[in-house]
Amino acid sequence: MKTNIIKLCLLIFVGTLISCTGDFDEINQNPNGFTADDVSAKFFITEPQYKLYAEDRYPYWRAQLIHTDRYAGHFTFGHSGSWWSDGLGYDYSSGYTDAAWGWLSGEFGKIDGFMKLVKSGGEFENEYMYAVGLIMKSLYFQMYTDTWGMVPYSEAGVEGIVTPKYDSQKDIYKGIIADLDAAMATIGDAERTGTGINDLGENDVYCGGDLQKWKKLANTLKLRIGMRALGATGDDFATGAINQALSADLLDATSGSILMDKDEIISQWGSAAYGDVWHNFGGLGSKWTVGKTLIDHLRNYNDPRLSVFAKPVEGGEVTMTKPASGETADNFWVRADFLSSIFDAAGATYTRTDAADQVTFNVPAGQYIGQPTRLRGEMSSFANFKFFSTPSDLVIRAKNDGAMYPEIVLTSAEAYFLQAEAAVRGLGTGDAQELLAMGIKEAMKVWGISGGDADTYIAQSAIADISAGTTEQKLEKIAIQRWLNTYTDGFEGWAVVRDTGYPSELATGVNNQVIFADGDLAGRYPQRLRYGTAEQTSNEANYNAAVAAQGEDVQATKLWYAKQ
């Protein structure tokens, strides 16, 4: 994405000219200005693309790290040096939620602006670019509605409407599918959006201007939405959408996954990465560990991704002293025993030495141990940062210091996993086991795992085998593989848990108040984020109508598609 910085500068410059002239005809007629060969809508596509997956550090920290990455079970706070308990995000905080809402609710304007430039009659009319815009819009609204549920959709971006109504999630899903169908029909057999200046090329940081890849992306997104809607109350479209998607080309081993490289030139205040938070913000206080559920699934099944997802523990000896009195004194030994149980469950090597009012743990380095999700604040002295795995350098590396794992748009692995699930449910004609195996290979490929190591895992790991078992057991294994594949994409990982109920350790919530933070959810799993507080006044009537239709504006309110 480095070379697109020049394009972004041109974007701003050309945008200024548009606002000054109001019509590109004037530019074309000015011999000292731009000619038709100099200007193109391609210069307006990069920003709306990267802002959707790599926004600036302020919302990147508050939307992903405080909320979705932790709801997905990928990351945890609450260690001994953390500023917060791991209950953060499970207790409502308007400041953090408003940051997430402000970012994502505002992103459609950028996509809509590009689409208006290339629509029929637009300044840069181009039917293929418009089709790409429809797919970008679909990616956006799937993320948006899966985070909040009912959101403005049918009236969003409509000229003259400043307080758009909220649409039901069912209607949004149906609208997305209609847009995807229209985009795929327009693309047809076309390969590029044009020639020369009219070819999106490298300015398209998702697909490099490859329209057939965009078409497969669109069809895979259609399959995702159909499978997610399947079985929801009042669903009247999912089966048809699924069958249509299965009969057309999807992302596969040939096309590969749609990933977006992180930019190393744009400031963290323009486009952020995990490394911007890890290295530039708050020292140990803002750092995070990797969740127990994730580490357990990787370690216990000899998953070769373990060492590229996470680092082993730093290890060391830590002594905890029992307070003289109070709740922390009363539960001191209960919490010490809980820590022992975590080490035991991980098969860890460690020693524990008890004294009258102290306990000392010595944990050798080099082991993989995940930190339990949602630890309450009183657990922080036991959850020593040295005792738990942290993200790998590939995930948290600083910009300009080496390779960084890209942002996930949509993977070929998911296309195979969705087909495997459809086969288990009696839809399509594929072999579920073969499809699951292909999905695992594709999921490992993007992390640099060799085909041989993937084959070994598939052959030896029970969680990769759905050749036998009940339907629910097969669906659970597919869901787990889908969830593993979402690592670093908390939005989608969280959606998988809400839709499937797996991993069940996350979906069932918590119920031990001595150890875990119940939050505003009374221990239940979060189902959505609350709307931004400004909506309650700036769009009051439509906000109230959405709450009346969907349910109370709290994190516990289930969305339309959620089965668990």
Side-chain angles (χ1 to χ4, degrees):
M1 204 158 75
K2 294 179 181 178
T3 57
N4 291 314
I5 302 302
I6 298 172
K7 277 75 171 183
L8 290 174
C9 293
L10 181 58
L11 182 156
I12 295 169
F13 183 49
V14 173
T16 302
L17 288 175
I18 294 175
S19 64
C20 293
T21 66
D23 194 327
F24 266 92
D25 287 341
E26 296 181 30
I27 297 174
N28 294 333
Q29 293 168 4
N30 179 358
N32 297 316
F34 288 106
T35 71
D37 293 332
D38 297 320
V39 292
S40 167
K42 68 183 290 181
F43 299 119
F44 293 82
I45 195 172
T46 310
E47 184 179 15
Q49 286 188 337
Y50 78 74
K51 283 288 190 179
L52 183 56
Y53 295 98
E55 70 278 20
D56 70 79
R57 198 185 81 180
Y58 187 78
Y60 201 96
W61 165 243
R62 288 157 178 79
Q64 277 96 320
L65 278 165
I66 287 180
H67 292 107
T68 61
D69 288 339
R70 291 172 50 251
Y71 296 166
H74 298 165
F75 300 138
T76 51
F77 294 153
H79 58 76
S80 56
S82 179
W83 287 338
W84 310 277
S85 81
D86 205 38
L88 182 70
Y90 298 91
D91 280 313
Y92 170 64
S93 170
S94 61
Y96 296 134
T97 303
D98 282 357
W101 172 265
W103 156 61
L104 199 51
S105 66
E107 282 306 300
F108 180 59
K110 298 179 179 67
I111 298 171
D112 189 50
F114 171 75
M115 293 178 67
K116 285 175 177 173
L117 282 175
V118 297
K119 70 178 183 180
S120 177
E123 295 287 359
F124 295 116
E125 179 179 344
N126 184 306
E127 63 174 337
Y128 298 122
M129 290 190 190
Y130 188 77
V132 167
L134 284 174
I135 302 168
M136 289 166 54
K137 173 186 173 184
S138 300
L139 288 165
Y140 165 79
F141 272 108
Q142 183 254 308
M143 183 190 297
Y144 191 19
T145 185
D146 282 359
T147 304
W148 281 277
M150 293 184 68
V151 293
Y153 174 73
S154 60
E155 294 182 350
V158 176
E159 187 175 355
I161 297 179
V162 295
T163 55
K165 71 174 184 177
Y166 289 59
D167 295 270
S168 71
Q169 188 163 58
K170 175 183 174 181
D171 286 344
I172 294 171
Y173 274 10
K174 293 173 78 169
I176 291 173
I177 289 173
D179 280 345
L180 292 171
D181 285 342
M184 290 187 284
T186 296
I187 291 172
D189 295 327
E191 297 181 354
R192 311 298 298 185
T193 55
T195 58
I197 197 71
N198 292 314
D199 181 0
L200 285 176
E202 65 180 5
N203 291 72
D204 168 13
V205 294
Y206 294 175
C207 299
D210 184 339
L211 287 179
Q212 291 307 303
K213 200 165 186 177
W214 273 106
K215 190 174 180 180
K216 289 184 176 183
L217 188 163
N219 196 43
T220 304
L221 181 59
K222 178 178 178 178
L223 181 58
R224 172 195 279 179
I225 291 171
M227 293 300 295
R228 188 156 292 164
L230 187 67
T233 302
D235 161 40
D236 57 3
F237 66 92
T239 299
I242 293 165
N243 286 329
Q244 290 169 7
L246 292 174
S247 67
D249 290 339
L250 297 155
L251 292 173
D252 57 18
T254 301
S255 68
S257 297
I258 311 297
L259 306 172
M260 187 186 80
D261 288 340
K262 294 182 188 291
D263 193 276
E264 295 186 303
I265 294 179
I266 299 176
S267 159
Q268 63 185 332
W269 302 114
S271 178
Y274 286 122
D276 291 318
V277 179
W278 187 270
H279 297 284
N280 304 338
F281 178 51
L284 181 59
S286 64
K287 289 180 171 53
W288 57 96
T289 56
V290 181
K292 176 182 181 297
T293 306
L294 180 62
I295 293 294
D296 285 355
H297 276 93
L298 296 167
R299 183 196 59 240
N300 294 349
Y301 292 100
N302 296 315
D303 193 313
R305 288 171 290 190
L306 177 59
S307 62
V308 291
F309 276 20
K311 295 178 185 177
V313 303
E314 177 185 340
E317 183 174 283
V318 178
T319 297
M320 299 90 171
T321 300
K322 179 182 176 182
S325 61
E327 190 275 343
T328 52
D330 294 342
N331 292 303
F332 180 82
W333 295 110
V334 173
R335 289 171 177 145
D337 290 344
F338 175 78
L339 182 59
S340 291
S341 74
I342 296 303
F343 294 154
D344 291 338
T349 299
Y350 73 102
T351 60
R352 169 178 168 169
T353 306
D354 292 0
D357 60 353
Q358 289 184 329
V359 60
T360 299
F361 287 92
N362 190 306
V363 179
Q367 307 176 82
Y368 287 93
I369 306 171
Q371 181 180 317
T373 295
R374 294 177 75 166
L375 292 181
R376 62 182 298 119
E378 291 80 1
M379 280 295 301
S380 63
S381 62
F382 295 92
N384 194 278
F385 187 69
K386 299 177 182 179
F387 291 166
F388 299 108
S389 293
T390 53
S392 69
D393 286 336
L394 189 61
V395 175
I396 57 169
R397 183 170 280 122
K399 291 178 180 178
N400 296 300
D401 193 35
M404 297 185 290
Y405 188 69
E407 298 287 350
I408 298 170
V409 179
L410 198 58
T411 65
S412 51
E414 182 173 355
Y416 286 114
F417 293 144
L418 292 169
Q419 290 175 82
E421 180 184 348
V424 169
R425 294 186 183 278
L427 299 169
T429 59
D431 181 279
Q433 177 60 50
E434 291 181 5
L435 291 164
L436 178 65
M438 285 299 299
I440 292 170
K441 289 182 180 181
E442 288 297 292
M444 292 190 176
K445 183 191 298 182
V446 296
W447 287 92
I449 304 300
S450 71
D453 286 346
D455 286 336
T456 299
Y457 171 82
I458 292 165
Q460 298 178 355
S461 178
I463 204 168
D465 182 6
I466 57 172
S467 60
T470 67
T471 296
E472 191 59 34
Q473 288 170 338
K474 294 176 181 180
L475 292 175
E476 177 180 4
K477 291 178 180 180
I478 295 168
I480 293 295
Q481 293 297 341
R482 282 186 64 197
W483 172 74
L484 290 170
N485 182 56
T486 67
Y487 182 54
T488 72
D489 180 6
F491 282 96
E492 188 57 24
W494 179 31
V496 169
V497 179
R498 287 175 289 165
D499 181 28
T500 68
Y502 299 113
S504 57
E505 306 97 288
L506 297 174
T508 54
V510 296
N511 59 16
N512 184 338
Q513 295 180 345
V514 173
I515 305 298
F516 300 107
D518 279 356
D520 297 333
L521 292 149
R524 291 170 292 179
Y525 188 69
Q527 298 293 325
R528 59 183 293 275
L529 293 186
R530 290 174 63 164
Y531 294 119
T533 53
E535 281 293 286
Q536 299 173 33
T537 54
S538 64
N539 197 5
E540 182 178 6
N542 290 313
Y543 166 84
N544 289 335
V547 171
Q550 178 169 267
E552 191 177 0
D553 184 15
V554 294
Q555 291 170 281
T557 296
K558 286 190 175 184
L559 302 188
W560 174 71
Y561 76 82
K563 317 301 190 306
Q564 303 295 326

